[in-house]
Amino acid sequence: MATLTNSAPLYDTLLTGARLIDGTGTNAVRADLAIKGDRIAAIGELNHARAAEEINVKGLCVAPGFIDTHTHDDQACISDSHMEPKISQGVTTVVVGNCGVSLAPLDHPSSVPEPINLLGSPSDFMYKDFHSYFDAVDSSKPITNVVALIGHSSLRVAAMRDVGRLAQPGEINTMTQMIDEGMKSGASGLSSGVFYPIGSAADNNEIIPLVQKTAEYGGIYASHMRDEHAGVLDAMQEVFEAARFGGAPLLISHHKCAGRRNWGRSSETLDLLDSVRTSQDVSVDMYPYEAASSVLDPELVEEDTPVLITWSTPFPEASGRYLREIAQDWCCSDVEAARQLCPAGACYFFMSEDDIERIIQHPSTMIGSDGLPMDEHPHPRLWGTFPRVIRRYAIQRELFSIEEAVRKMTSLPANRFGIRSRGVLKQGSYADLVVFDPNTVADTATYQNPKQAASGICKVFVNGRLSWDGRLCVSSGSGHLLRRAEGIP
Ligand code: ZN
Ligand code: CU
């Protein structure tokens, strides 16, 4: 007589005894989880199930793979088959194309001006349209899934002869057509970086028609706002207006109150956010660190803000050194040293811990690393963001539960970006999973030593395949581009 065991379904992988955190924010439960192909096949008491591989995860948390809402992995997801900074944190999906910069639609531009150079060198730009970029992502089989935004500054460079002024109607029309192509090909939204040189000449007369086209396809509008310093409230009003008239959900990127004189003002920015949230679909993302990181801009160098150099073309040896030390060596002012180091990248220590704690607790706040994988000496957020949210803000500071931390990094972003069947653990969903040890999970990357894998991330599955075993990348990629337009009528 056949036993119950023999007739039970055969799964590929069975995780037994998990502390299951489903991504919705509800309390963890004890359960087993079975994977078949790229899907979660069953969750519950699976004592009698059989599987090709059985892994005892007693005492460990199993959660949906983390979604990094804010990345500049546009090139890494093509050329770095392991993306170790991300997979080692439990990230299974990255959102690329942020801050207004995307690799497409730029095909061998003569130069890549700041901040587009954050993404790579001129030879990395070889995609005349989004379709060709998305094909390149898919065929390179990245280790994580990829969600892509269309970068407004890249559109400007592609569509305008002079990016130092407002776009003219014909140029807006060209950009609208590029968005149409991008959204049809599978982009998930539009990003802008009106803080930066290329984007800053644009105002809402230019941006609203672009957001409208994005909204036709259900896309989101994400913005690195014009001002994160003294003018942060006005900058928020500007993006609220663009999203309201454009008809798209809004995401304020890496929300912060930058500069010592603005410390504490997150109570004002969040009050404003809450009042607008009653009538508009708005949210924010952030990285859990007191330093920002971007290109080095001598105008952002202030007396009271330490600056760490992350790369420099004329002085590569400056990577990892503080600007103040370099200026002392050179017997010049900090600003003068910064001018000489450019083109360069930097970390600016200009946020307060109080503001970080207030913003990260907000129910609409998601987590985006904003990591810069091309930097010589990167900001530690590239390797540490997600474990740090759990270790520092959930476990040590007790600002919220681990379940809530996981929600901010899974179901919330999946909903915001229209990512279907991911971000929540349930039968039939894709098996994007992270197994972590709540006792040891922590970021280990520091400003001094930034390229370090987190601890306590025991296993990571992407589309059902084991991709990180706690020490090493163990698969060639099984991630792909998650196309927004798929299935949209
Ligand atoms: Zn940005
Ligand atoms: Cu960014």
Side-chain angles (χ1 to χ4, degrees), residues 114-115 117-119 196 292-298 300-301 306-323 326 337-349 372 374-379 381:
E114 275 182 15
N117 61 351
L118 286 175
L119 296 183
Y196 288 111
S293 186
S294 186
V295 284
L296 175 60
D297 177 353
L300 286 181
V301 171
V307 174
L308 177 71
I309 303 302
T310 53
W311 58 274
S312 162
T313 303
F315 297 97
E317 66 279 11
S319 302
R321 294 191 68 203
Y322 281 89
L323 180 64
I326 298 169
R339 280 203 194 99
Q340 292 190 40
L341 287 161
C342 283
C347 293
Y348 305 88
F349 290 78
L372 297 168
M374 300 310 198
D375 284 8
E376 193 58 42
H377 185 97
H379 186 301
R381 67 194 184 185

Side-chain angles (χ1 to χ4, degrees), residues 1-2 31 59 80 117 122 200 223 247 264 267 299 318 337 368 377 414 427 465:
M1 202 177 90
D80 177 2
N117 61 351
S200 63
S223 183
S267 49
E299 283 185 21
H377 185 97
Q427 190 180 349
R465 284 218 351 234

